[in-house]
Amino acid sequence: MQISDTSSKDSILHQVSLTTVRIASVHRVTGETDVQVTVNLDGTGKCHAATGIPFLDHMLHQISSHGLIDLDVQAKGDWEIDDHHTNEDVGITLGQALHQALGDRKGIVRFGNFLAPLDEALIQVALDFSGRPHLSYGLEIPTQRVGSYDTQLVREFFVALVNHSQMTLHIRQLDGINSHHIIEATFKAFARAMRMATEVDPRRAGTIPSSKGVL
């Protein structure tokens, strides 16, 4: 009987994971905003977020903490008008940084899903780093604002993120009546689903996670 040397395989996988750097930094400047994002997909959940939008900073911390990615987001925008441009451009720049950090996406799990409760709120997120941008958005947020944050901007953030990271993202609200709980549970579920999808699959051995051989 031939016994496989799993310890040797684990050692090889560990060496590969150490030599593969999945870090990206993107600086995006427009006539409306100046956004700098750095992301480390193999981080420990460290986050520095200063977007000028306190609630968005809070949500970025959820992505970092529950996704176990290191995230630095610095933004300046035309806040005197409203938060729309800054919120959207942070989503765009974060999406671009994720896309760059993933590279050719060899060896990743690719798919992720998570069901996150937060008190009465229950949110399901499923995503696929497919290379095909698509958002299916099923949130029903009962109030127009959480603090000073316009809750319509949640969808705009994810639209921007999806288009520029080239992921398919489905968000479903199964329960919830408190706007803050609904939104925060969404970001937590997204973070955990993304963590699952971006993990290195030891059985992939650095191959593209697609039957077509390309994403």
Short mmCIF file of all heavy atoms in Angstrom, two decimals, residues 66-67 108-115 125 127 129 189-201:
data_model
loop_
_atom_site.label_atom_id
_atom_site.label_comp_id
_atom_site.label_asym_id
_atom_site.label_seq_id
_atom_site.Cartn_x
_atom_site.Cartn_y
_atom_site.Cartn_z
N HIS A 66 -13.61 40.88 9.30
CA HIS A 66 -14.24 39.58 9.07
C HIS A 66 -13.72 38.89 7.81
O HIS A 66 -13.86 37.68 7.67
CB HIS A 66 -15.76 39.75 9.03
CG HIS A 66 -16.33 40.20 10.34
ND1 HIS A 66 -16.53 39.33 11.39
CD2 HIS A 66 -16.69 41.43 10.80
CE1 HIS A 66 -17.01 40.00 12.43
NE2 HIS A 66 -17.11 41.28 12.09
N GLY A 67 -13.10 39.67 6.92
CA GLY A 67 -12.49 39.08 5.74
C GLY A 67 -11.03 38.71 5.96
O GLY A 67 -10.40 38.09 5.09
N ILE A 108 -7.29 29.86 -6.35
CA ILE A 108 -8.26 30.31 -5.35
C ILE A 108 -9.50 29.42 -5.37
O ILE A 108 -9.79 28.73 -6.35
CB ILE A 108 -8.66 31.78 -5.56
CG1 ILE A 108 -9.45 31.97 -6.87
CG2 ILE A 108 -7.46 32.69 -5.49
CD1 ILE A 108 -10.10 33.35 -6.98
N VAL A 109 -10.23 29.45 -4.26
CA VAL A 109 -11.48 28.70 -4.18
C VAL A 109 -12.50 29.24 -5.19
O VAL A 109 -13.27 28.50 -5.78
CB VAL A 109 -12.04 28.76 -2.74
CG1 VAL A 109 -13.43 28.12 -2.67
CG2 VAL A 109 -11.08 28.04 -1.79
N ARG A 110 -12.51 30.53 -5.37
CA ARG A 110 -13.32 31.27 -6.35
C ARG A 110 -14.73 31.58 -5.85
O ARG A 110 -15.19 32.72 -5.96
CB ARG A 110 -13.41 30.53 -7.68
CG ARG A 110 -14.33 31.19 -8.68
CD ARG A 110 -14.42 30.46 -10.00
NE ARG A 110 -15.60 30.83 -10.73
CZ ARG A 110 -15.93 30.35 -11.92
NH1 ARG A 110 -15.15 29.47 -12.54
NH2 ARG A 110 -17.06 30.74 -12.51
N PHE A 111 -15.45 30.63 -5.30
CA PHE A 111 -16.82 30.84 -4.82
C PHE A 111 -16.83 31.03 -3.31
O PHE A 111 -16.03 30.45 -2.58
CB PHE A 111 -17.71 29.64 -5.15
CG PHE A 111 -17.88 29.39 -6.62
CD1 PHE A 111 -17.06 28.47 -7.27
CD2 PHE A 111 -18.85 30.04 -7.35
CE1 PHE A 111 -17.21 28.22 -8.63
CE2 PHE A 111 -19.01 29.80 -8.71
CZ PHE A 111 -18.19 28.89 -9.35
N GLY A 112 -17.78 31.85 -2.84
CA GLY A 112 -17.95 32.02 -1.41
C GLY A 112 -19.38 32.34 -1.07
O GLY A 112 -20.10 32.95 -1.88
N ASN A 113 -19.82 31.92 0.10
CA ASN A 113 -21.17 32.27 0.55
C ASN A 113 -21.19 32.29 2.06
O ASN A 113 -20.45 31.56 2.73
CB ASN A 113 -22.21 31.29 0.00
CG ASN A 113 -22.10 29.92 0.63
OD1 ASN A 113 -22.73 29.63 1.65
ND2 ASN A 113 -21.27 29.04 0.05
N PHE A 114 -22.05 33.15 2.62
CA PHE A 114 -22.14 33.24 4.07
C PHE A 114 -23.51 33.78 4.46
O PHE A 114 -24.10 34.61 3.75
CB PHE A 114 -21.06 34.15 4.63
CG PHE A 114 -20.81 33.94 6.10
CD1 PHE A 114 -20.02 32.88 6.53
CD2 PHE A 114 -21.36 34.79 7.05
CE1 PHE A 114 -19.79 32.67 7.89
CE2 PHE A 114 -21.14 34.58 8.40
CZ PHE A 114 -20.35 33.52 8.83
N LEU A 115 -24.01 33.30 5.59
CA LEU A 115 -25.28 33.73 6.15
C LEU A 115 -24.98 34.40 7.48
O LEU A 115 -24.53 33.74 8.42
CB LEU A 115 -26.20 32.53 6.33
CG LEU A 115 -27.66 32.78 6.72
CD1 LEU A 115 -28.39 33.54 5.62
CD2 LEU A 115 -28.35 31.45 6.99
N VAL A 125 -25.12 36.28 1.55
CA VAL A 125 -24.29 36.75 0.45
C VAL A 125 -23.63 35.55 -0.23
O VAL A 125 -23.08 34.68 0.43
CB VAL A 125 -23.19 37.73 0.94
CG1 VAL A 125 -22.16 37.97 -0.15
CG2 VAL A 125 -23.81 39.05 1.37
N LEU A 127 -21.02 34.86 -3.68
CA LEU A 127 -20.23 35.57 -4.69
C LEU A 127 -19.32 34.61 -5.44
O LEU A 127 -19.03 33.51 -4.98
CB LEU A 127 -19.44 36.72 -4.06
CG LEU A 127 -18.41 36.41 -2.96
CD1 LEU A 127 -17.07 35.99 -3.56
CD2 LEU A 127 -18.21 37.64 -2.08
N PHE A 129 -15.79 35.03 -7.98
CA PHE A 129 -14.79 35.84 -8.68
C PHE A 129 -14.65 35.28 -10.10
O PHE A 129 -13.64 34.69 -10.47
CB PHE A 129 -13.46 35.83 -7.93
CG PHE A 129 -13.44 36.79 -6.79
CD1 PHE A 129 -13.62 36.34 -5.49
CD2 PHE A 129 -13.25 38.15 -7.00
CE1 PHE A 129 -13.61 37.24 -4.42
CE2 PHE A 129 -13.24 39.05 -5.95
CZ PHE A 129 -13.42 38.59 -4.65
N ALA A 189 -21.36 39.60 6.09
CA ALA A 189 -21.57 38.43 5.24
C ALA A 189 -20.71 38.51 3.99
O ALA A 189 -20.13 37.50 3.54
CB ALA A 189 -23.04 38.30 4.87
N PHE A 190 -20.62 39.71 3.41
CA PHE A 190 -19.78 39.90 2.23
C PHE A 190 -18.32 39.58 2.56
O PHE A 190 -17.62 38.90 1.79
CB PHE A 190 -19.90 41.33 1.72
CG PHE A 190 -18.89 41.67 0.65
CD1 PHE A 190 -19.05 41.21 -0.64
CD2 PHE A 190 -17.76 42.42 0.96
CE1 PHE A 190 -18.11 41.49 -1.63
CE2 PHE A 190 -16.82 42.72 -0.01
CZ PHE A 190 -16.99 42.24 -1.31
N ALA A 191 -17.85 40.07 3.70
CA ALA A 191 -16.46 39.86 4.09
C ALA A 191 -16.15 38.38 4.25
O ALA A 191 -15.12 37.89 3.76
CB ALA A 191 -16.17 40.60 5.39
N ARG A 192 -17.04 37.64 4.92
CA ARG A 192 -16.79 36.22 5.14
C ARG A 192 -16.87 35.43 3.83
O ARG A 192 -16.10 34.49 3.61
CB ARG A 192 -17.77 35.67 6.17
CG ARG A 192 -17.54 36.17 7.58
CD ARG A 192 -16.15 35.85 8.10
NE ARG A 192 -15.94 34.42 8.22
CZ ARG A 192 -16.06 33.72 9.36
NH1 ARG A 192 -16.38 34.35 10.48
NH2 ARG A 192 -15.85 32.43 9.38
N ALA A 193 -17.80 35.80 2.96
CA ALA A 193 -17.90 35.13 1.66
C ALA A 193 -16.67 35.41 0.82
O ALA A 193 -16.14 34.52 0.14
CB ALA A 193 -19.16 35.58 0.93
N MET A 194 -16.18 36.65 0.85
CA MET A 194 -14.98 37.00 0.09
C MET A 194 -13.76 36.28 0.64
O MET A 194 -12.90 35.81 -0.13
CB MET A 194 -14.76 38.52 0.12
CG MET A 194 -13.59 38.96 -0.75
SD MET A 194 -13.39 40.75 -0.81
CE MET A 194 -12.93 41.08 0.88
N ARG A 195 -13.67 36.19 1.97
CA ARG A 195 -12.56 35.45 2.58
C ARG A 195 -12.55 34.00 2.08
O ARG A 195 -11.50 33.46 1.73
CB ARG A 195 -12.70 35.50 4.09
CG ARG A 195 -11.68 34.65 4.85
CD ARG A 195 -11.93 34.76 6.34
NE ARG A 195 -11.18 33.76 7.08
CZ ARG A 195 -11.30 33.56 8.39
NH1 ARG A 195 -12.13 34.30 9.09
NH2 ARG A 195 -10.60 32.62 9.00
N MET A 196 -13.72 33.38 2.05
CA MET A 196 -13.83 32.01 1.58
C MET A 196 -13.39 31.89 0.12
O MET A 196 -12.63 30.99 -0.26
CB MET A 196 -15.29 31.53 1.72
CG MET A 196 -15.53 30.09 1.32
SD MET A 196 -17.32 29.68 1.35
CE MET A 196 -17.71 30.07 3.06
N ALA A 197 -13.84 32.82 -0.71
CA ALA A 197 -13.58 32.74 -2.16
C ALA A 197 -12.13 33.00 -2.51
O ALA A 197 -11.62 32.46 -3.49
CB ALA A 197 -14.48 33.73 -2.90
N THR A 198 -11.45 33.83 -1.73
CA THR A 198 -10.07 34.20 -2.06
C THR A 198 -9.04 33.30 -1.40
O THR A 198 -7.84 33.45 -1.64
CB THR A 198 -9.78 35.66 -1.68
OG1 THR A 198 -10.03 35.85 -0.27
CG2 THR A 198 -10.65 36.62 -2.47
N GLU A 199 -9.49 32.36 -0.56
CA GLU A 199 -8.55 31.42 0.05
C GLU A 199 -7.89 30.57 -1.02
O GLU A 199 -8.48 30.27 -2.06
CB GLU A 199 -9.28 30.51 1.05
CG GLU A 199 -9.72 31.19 2.33
CD GLU A 199 -8.56 31.50 3.27
OE1 GLU A 199 -7.46 30.95 3.07
OE2 GLU A 199 -8.75 32.29 4.19
N VAL A 200 -6.66 30.16 -0.75
CA VAL A 200 -5.94 29.27 -1.66
C VAL A 200 -6.42 27.85 -1.44
O VAL A 200 -6.46 27.35 -0.32
CB VAL A 200 -4.42 29.36 -1.42
CG1 VAL A 200 -3.68 28.35 -2.29
CG2 VAL A 200 -3.93 30.77 -1.71
N ASP A 201 -6.83 27.19 -2.52
CA ASP A 201 -7.32 25.82 -2.48
C ASP A 201 -6.14 24.87 -2.69
O ASP A 201 -5.55 24.83 -3.77
CB ASP A 201 -8.37 25.61 -3.58
CG ASP A 201 -9.03 24.25 -3.54
OD1 ASP A 201 -8.49 23.35 -2.86
OD2 ASP A 201 -10.07 24.08 -4.20
#
